[in-house]
Amino acid sequence: MTVSIRPGEPYPLGATWDGQGTNFAVFSEVAEFVEVCLFDDRGREERIRLPEVTAYCHHGYLPGVGPGQRYGFRVHGPWAPAEGLRGNPQKLLLDPYARAIEGEVRWVPAVYGHDQKDPSRANAEDSAPFIPRSVVSAPFFDWGHDRPPRTPLHHTLIYEAHVRGLTQRHPAIPPHQRGTFAALAHPAVIEHLQRLGVTALELLPIQHFIPERDHVARGLTNYWGYNTIGYFAPHAAYASTRRPGDAVREFKEAVRALHAANIEVILDVVYNHTAEGGHLGPSLCFRGLDNAAYYRLAEDRANYVDYTGTGNTLNMRHPHVLQLIMDSLRYWITEMHVDGFRFDLAATLARELHDVDRLSAFFDIVQQDPVISRVKLIAEPWDLGEGGYQVGNFPPLWSEWNGQYRDTLRDFWRGGGGTLSDFGRRFTGSADLYANTGRRPSASINFITAHDGFTLADLVAYDHKHNDANLEGNNDGHNDNRSWNSGAEGPTADQAVGERRARRARAILTTLFLSQGTPMLLGGDELGRTQHGNNNAYCQDNELSWLDWTETSHELLRFVARLSEFRRQHHAFHRRHWFREDEPNGKPVEDLGDIEWFRPDGAPMQPEDWHTAEPPAIAVYLRGAVDPAGASPAEFSDRRFLCLFNAREEPRAFSVPGALAALEWSVVLDSAHPAQLPTALRGSAIDAPGWSVLVLEAP
């Protein structure tokens, strides 16, 4: 396997095959020299010193080395943890730019750069037998006529799902494909998404990740995947075969199939921390390459600043870390054809010295980048550091997971008083959060449930978390769930409780689909999926987390599909622009504003009505024939709607407001009776059942 190495080029970083050989380039400001280590099929290693250094990038070109070659790096540099220096050539390191990764970490002392008994000393054991390999990847793939759907955000319906969880138990998928990228391309999965009207599949992390040592020791794993170690490589375990590079091919095939069905692919990405953990964590990649460049170090330099709760924080103030992230994002867009990103703990990315800064280098670079700035950018707008809750404070290009929408709607549908004013803001797109930054209602990613927390079925069935399966004494997960068990904790044979739960779940989903903004549906909520009260199933790669396709609520599935189609048909519920300010009350129908709020008795809402302590009940009138900018002709002729919300146990009588009573109203949606067909309203009053949403329509 011996070859002669040439100087090569410092860019692009990583392993780049040109058809005749491979260029290797890796950044390290502190390395005295770097070796590229080549491995054959039997695991035998050959070390070759990279001959050139350009602007701290160590590089060399190896003729004859091509796709499928397994490799890693060894960094020869100073070991001085108290100064933030952790060079140790006995540790085989992954390539930060590896396009494919093979193998798993074996949790033995050798994978740690430090001595287990004395962390100030370097560990002299060779880690190579216990560390995954980077793999040279071929860039060529026949995309055919693939085109990004480019669905406008205000027409978007996001479906959040996990690669394994979505497909592992699907009976129509061949067993060897279940839980893999290949399964995402299966017609049964695509047909289900199309039935729901999904326009974007948001995948929990699929960049290569590893489970933490403690989880493995307890017989668990990092199922969600928020423990990334390879920002360019699709997770190897999500391939249906174990051949090097198959994960890359299968992911591309899945994207191509989803695009053909007009479904975008959004990746949940974790650029705030890595899988190497705190100062006592393993040396797998970044720590051994250049610890002080890649991580934010504490004042004592031996420890790490931790805004993420995982032990480390990537150093967004270093230009090579910013370059790594931007190169990664561009790679997934240009080479893997993804359509957007959801940034985990995105507030961390905006921290300069300490505070979250809207003018940070990260936002500046994204704003001017001609590739990244044109895809969907979604922030989880908080982290665990001081001042980390930043809902509403991201720049104009960004949309955000709206945590205030989630909390308000949960409070509303458990009958909490004093929530009407917040409900009005969240239902209309959260203008108080987004309008003053030049953004539109679609900037609000509206969700009630997500991977982190209760499923919808559990939200209406549990008052408290039940996380015993995580083996952490039920101390993990949120305590502020804003849930109500509807009268009994967990499974029950009480039919009244079961009916109450079903009604509340349908009312919650109806509100989600009627609200201005971009709705996000948690995968499985349309099937009635339960995690049996576990609100933090991050370590459960088993039936607790997987969708059960054999025991599904078909009635609920049909209802969600109907809600989605109703929203798609009517522009009034996914407007491009903000509502106009309400006109003075008492004007003729044709002069009413595009939105009006009313009490159940038909009287206009007054300031004091928004702060009632009673369980909420409210009506909203939407005039659809507005907002022509950028709308299709069908959107110009949208109809009038009167939406009635009753978050009480007992039925509530609603009167059609006087100015609207002359119109011919029909009940087109009744969440309490999901199979009911449109019926004409007789008279000017209607009883809304307990825990229900009714939608009335008029020409």
Side-chain angles (χ1 to χ4, degrees):
M1 195 169 59
T2 302
V3 294
S4 59
I5 191 165
R6 301 174 186 171
E9 301 291 338
Y11 193 84
L13 291 163
T16 306
W17 181 58
D18 63 5
Q20 299 187 14
T22 299
N23 188 83
F24 294 91
V26 63
F27 162 76
S28 177
E29 194 170 341
V30 298
E32 297 165 2
F33 65 91
V34 176
E35 293 173 311
V36 60
C37 306
L38 307 182
F39 294 87
D40 65 15
D41 292 340
R42 297 183 179 181
R44 293 176 298 187
E45 176 183 359
E46 180 173 1
R47 305 182 187 183
I48 304 168
R49 179 170 174 169
L50 295 176
E52 292 288 337
V53 183
T54 304
Y56 299 119
C57 291
H58 301 250
H59 54 93
Y61 178 88
L62 288 172
V65 172
Q69 175 64 60
R70 301 165 179 87
Y71 72 99
F73 295 117
R74 294 183 187 270
V75 170
H76 295 255
W79 173 265
E83 301 173 27
L85 303 173
R86 294 179 178 268
N88 186 340
Q90 297 304 312
K91 306 302 138 186
L92 182 73
L93 305 174
L94 288 166
D95 179 1
Y97 280 73
R99 269 55 169 177
I101 294 175
E102 179 187 57
E104 300 177 353
V105 175
R106 293 169 57 190
W107 292 106
V108 299
V111 304
Y112 296 87
H114 61 275
D115 185 278
Q116 297 286 284
K117 296 181 179 179
D118 182 0
S120 67
R121 297 176 53 191
N123 184 343
E125 296 179 85
D126 184 12
S127 69
F130 315 106
I131 295 294
R133 307 284 190 257
S134 306
V135 181
V136 178
S137 178
F140 308 119
F141 180 77
D142 183 8
W143 283 100
H145 299 290
D146 181 69
R147 295 290 184 274
R150 297 195 183 280
T151 305
L153 197 55
H154 69 292
H155 288 310
T156 295
L157 169 59
I158 298 172
Y159 186 89
E160 190 200 33
H162 187 284
V163 171
R164 280 179 61 78
L166 178 63
T167 64
Q168 184 66 29
R169 303 182 71 186
H170 201 301
I173 298 173
H176 74 281
Q177 288 188 347
R178 295 174 188 171
T180 70
F181 293 130
L184 297 179
H186 193 277
V189 172
I190 291 177
E191 288 169 9
H192 180 77
L193 297 176
Q194 289 179 315
R195 179 181 183 182
L196 293 173
V198 170
T199 68
L201 176 61
E202 182 176 308
L203 296 173
L204 268 67
I206 61 93
Q207 294 174 337
H208 193 81
F209 60 89
I210 61 172
E212 294 89 335
R213 178 181 183 176
D214 291 345
H215 296 149
V216 174
R218 298 200 305 268
L220 302 171
T221 189
N222 191 314
Y223 169 67
W224 285 351
Y226 292 93
N227 208 40
T228 308
I229 197 64
Y231 290 115
F232 292 78
H235 189 56
Y238 291 162
S240 62
T241 73
R242 292 296 178 262
R243 293 190 299 267
D246 273 9
V248 178
R249 175 183 54 79
E250 288 189 13
F251 179 82
K252 290 180 177 180
E253 290 172 345
V255 172
R256 185 176 59 190
L258 289 161
H259 281 182
N262 210 35
I263 298 172
E264 296 181 308
V265 177
I266 296 173
L267 300 187
D268 196 334
V269 289
V270 189
Y271 294 115
N272 54 77
H273 75 278
T274 80
E276 291 185 302
H279 70 287
L280 296 180
S283 287
L284 307 175
C285 179
F286 309 95
R287 174 174 286 132
L289 286 169
D290 195 328
N291 184 60
Y294 280 109
Y295 294 118
R296 295 194 66 158
L297 302 184
E299 290 185 8
D300 63 8
R301 306 291 287 176
N303 292 291
Y304 297 87
V305 173
D306 183 10
Y307 295 122
T308 64
T310 62
N312 67 58
T313 302
L314 275 174
N315 184 12
M316 301 303 297
R317 298 181 295 178
H318 196 285
H320 274 280
V321 177
L322 284 170
Q323 179 186 10
L324 171 77
I325 294 173
M326 298 306 156
D327 285 348
S328 172
L329 292 171
R330 280 189 292 268
Y331 173 79
W332 286 97
I333 298 168
T334 60
E335 297 294 330
M336 308 296 265
H337 287 206
V338 304
D339 305 283
F341 305 93
R342 179 264 189 190
F343 292 80
D344 177 65
L345 299 182
T348 299
L349 307 178
R351 291 187 182 271
E352 290 283 318
L353 294 176
H354 175 71
D355 295 333
V356 179
D357 186 355
R358 290 183 60 204
L359 301 178
S360 68
F362 174 78
F363 288 138
D364 288 345
I365 294 174
V366 169
Q367 177 76 32
Q368 60 79 42
D369 190 281
V371 175
I372 302 171
S373 63
R374 297 184 182 181
V375 301
K376 290 180 171 65
L377 302 172
I378 302 171
E380 182 185 36
W382 51 77
D383 66 13
L384 301 185
E386 182 181 353
Y389 190 77
Q390 293 291 322
V391 173
N393 291 331
F394 275 64
L397 278 182
W398 291 73
S399 52
E400 302 174 11
W401 272 26
N402 190 344
Q404 293 194 33
Y405 180 94
R406 173 200 60 205
D407 295 345
T408 296
L409 269 293
R410 286 188 176 196
D411 284 343
F412 184 90
W413 285 113
R414 60 177 177 166
T419 62
L420 282 178
S421 59
D422 285 339
F423 176 84
R425 296 187 186 97
R426 304 305 150 233
F427 180 79
T428 55
S430 298
D432 57 323
L433 299 177
Y434 304 114
N436 62 355
T437 57
R439 290 184 280 179
R440 294 178 176 176
S442 56
S444 176
I445 305 298
N446 296 334
F447 68 105
I448 310 293
T449 55
H451 67 276
D452 186 4
F454 282 145
T455 66
L456 179 61
D458 290 353
L459 187 70
V460 297
Y462 292 91
D463 280 352
H464 310 288
K465 65 187 181 184
H466 296 264
N467 297 356
D468 295 308
N470 297 353
L471 305 180
E472 298 181 39
N474 203 36
N475 292 315
D476 62 301
H478 298 294
N479 293 314
D480 183 21
N481 294 291
R482 301 174 186 242
S483 62
W484 176 44
N485 65 19
S486 306
E489 187 76 357
T492 179
D494 189 318
Q495 293 184 352
V497 172
E499 173 60 22
R500 188 180 297 124
R501 290 175 178 176
R503 282 197 179 193
R504 292 180 60 221
R506 291 194 299 268
I508 289 170
L509 287 166
T510 303
T511 309
L512 175 67
F513 278 87
L514 298 181
S515 298
Q516 301 300 319
T518 303
M520 186 183 81
L521 181 67
L522 172 62
D525 276 355
E526 77 281 10
L527 306 176
R529 181 174 76 92
T530 178
Q531 292 179 167
H532 305 291
N534 192 318
N535 74 349
N536 189 36
Y538 75 102
C539 55
Q540 300 293 332
D541 187 6
N542 50 49
E543 294 182 355
L544 185 70
S545 294
W546 302 338
L547 274 65
D548 185 353
W549 294 89
T550 61
E551 296 183 9
T552 62
S553 173
H554 295 287
E555 179 186 77
L556 183 60
L557 174 59
R558 287 191 293 269
F559 184 65
V560 174
R562 183 181 173 194
L563 288 175
S564 176
E565 177 65 12
F566 183 80
R567 178 182 183 271
R568 188 192 65 79
Q569 289 180 343
H570 298 295
H571 179 63
F573 300 105
H574 56 101
R575 296 163 51 98
R576 182 187 294 267
H577 298 287
W578 297 105
F579 285 110
R580 295 178 298 173
E581 292 185 2
D582 295 347
E583 298 292 340
N585 294 309
K587 287 201 171 190
V589 170
E590 62 270 16
D591 292 333
L592 283 173
D594 46 10
I595 183 169
E596 290 277 342
W597 293 91
F598 299 96
R599 299 186 323 212
D601 62 6
M605 289 286 289
Q606 301 300 318
E608 61 273 16
D609 296 328
W610 291 101
H611 303 287
T612 177
E614 298 179 3
I618 194 169
V620 58
Y621 164 73
L622 302 177
R623 184 182 183 187
V626 296
D627 192 27
S632 68
E635 292 172 339
F636 294 148
S637 59
D638 210 351
R639 301 167 70 84
R640 296 177 173 89
F641 297 94
L642 188 64
C643 304
L644 315 178
F645 300 90
N646 181 23
R648 303 181 179 203
E649 180 72 27
E650 64 279 359
R652 184 64 190 263
F654 280 82
S655 296
V656 176
L660 304 175
L663 298 177
E664 296 181 2
W665 292 99
S666 296
V667 181
V668 292
L669 275 178
D670 180 351
S671 67
H673 304 97
Q676 180 172 311
L677 297 175
T679 56
L681 177 66
R682 302 188 182 279
S684 59
I686 185 172
D687 284 338
W691 307 111
S692 72
V693 180
L694 272 65
V695 180
L696 282 61
E697 178 183 300

